[in-house]
């Protein structure tokens, strides 16, 4: 009678996949923004000068071993202009290179990784702003 040997690496991958599925949020509530989170805009609204976005999570702290990710998406802007973005937490900077009206969406997320290679994301803040740059 021939016995089959299972490769330990395959078993480890299957165990990690099962764990990753088990840790997925079951409801949308697990992905909602932090209740009292806000974003403050400061700086001179003039082309060529940086504008600072400062995030306040109302006392919420990102757990040790996890990190933040900032996504800034421009929904509308003057033609042929692409602002420079220096993402960061608790502050990000945007430098607008031409005058005009800019509308952008900002998403601040908390990222965690498991030892099995899975990634989980939680939205901490999401907001849309329109700025008129001189």
């Amino acid at each position: 009678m021939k016995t089959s040997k299972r490769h330990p690496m395959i078993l480890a991958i299957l165990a990690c996949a099962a764990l990753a599925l088990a840790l997925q949020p079951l409801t949308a509530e697990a992905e909602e923004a932090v209740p009292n989170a806000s974003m403050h805009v400061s700086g001179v609204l003039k082309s060529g000068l940086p504008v600072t976005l400062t995030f306040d999570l109302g006392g919420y702290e990102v757990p040790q071993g996890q990190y933040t990710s900032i996504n800034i998406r421009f929904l509308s802007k003057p033609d042929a202009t692409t602002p420079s973005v220096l993402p960061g937490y608790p502050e990000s900077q945007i430098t607008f290179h031409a005058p005009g009206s800019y509308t952008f969406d900002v998403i601040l997320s908390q990222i965690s990784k498991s030892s099995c290679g899975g990634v989980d994301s939680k939205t901490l803040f999401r907001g849309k702003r329109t700025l008129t740059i001189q």
Side-chain angles (χ1 to χ4, degrees), residues 74-115:
F74 290 91
L75 305 174
S76 67
K77 59 186 179 57
D79 290 336
T81 62
T82 302
S84 300
V85 176
L86 181 60
Y89 173 78
E91 292 183 348
S92 293
Q93 287 188 339
I94 303 174
T95 302
F96 300 93
H97 302 293
S101 179
Y102 295 80
T103 300
F104 53 96
D105 191 27
V106 178
I107 304 168
L108 168 62
S109 301
Q110 174 180 304
I111 308 297
S112 60
K113 294 181 180 182
S114 73
S115 61

Side-chain angles (χ1 to χ4, degrees), residues 54-92:
T54 304
F55 300 95
D56 179 0
L57 298 179
Y60 178 84
E61 292 187 22
V62 176
Q64 187 173 357
Q66 298 183 22
Y67 60 95
T68 59
S69 173
I70 308 286
N71 288 303
I72 300 175
R73 298 182 183 131
F74 290 91
L75 305 174
S76 67
K77 59 186 179 57
D79 290 336
T81 62
T82 302
S84 300
V85 176
L86 181 60
Y89 173 78
E91 292 183 348
S92 293

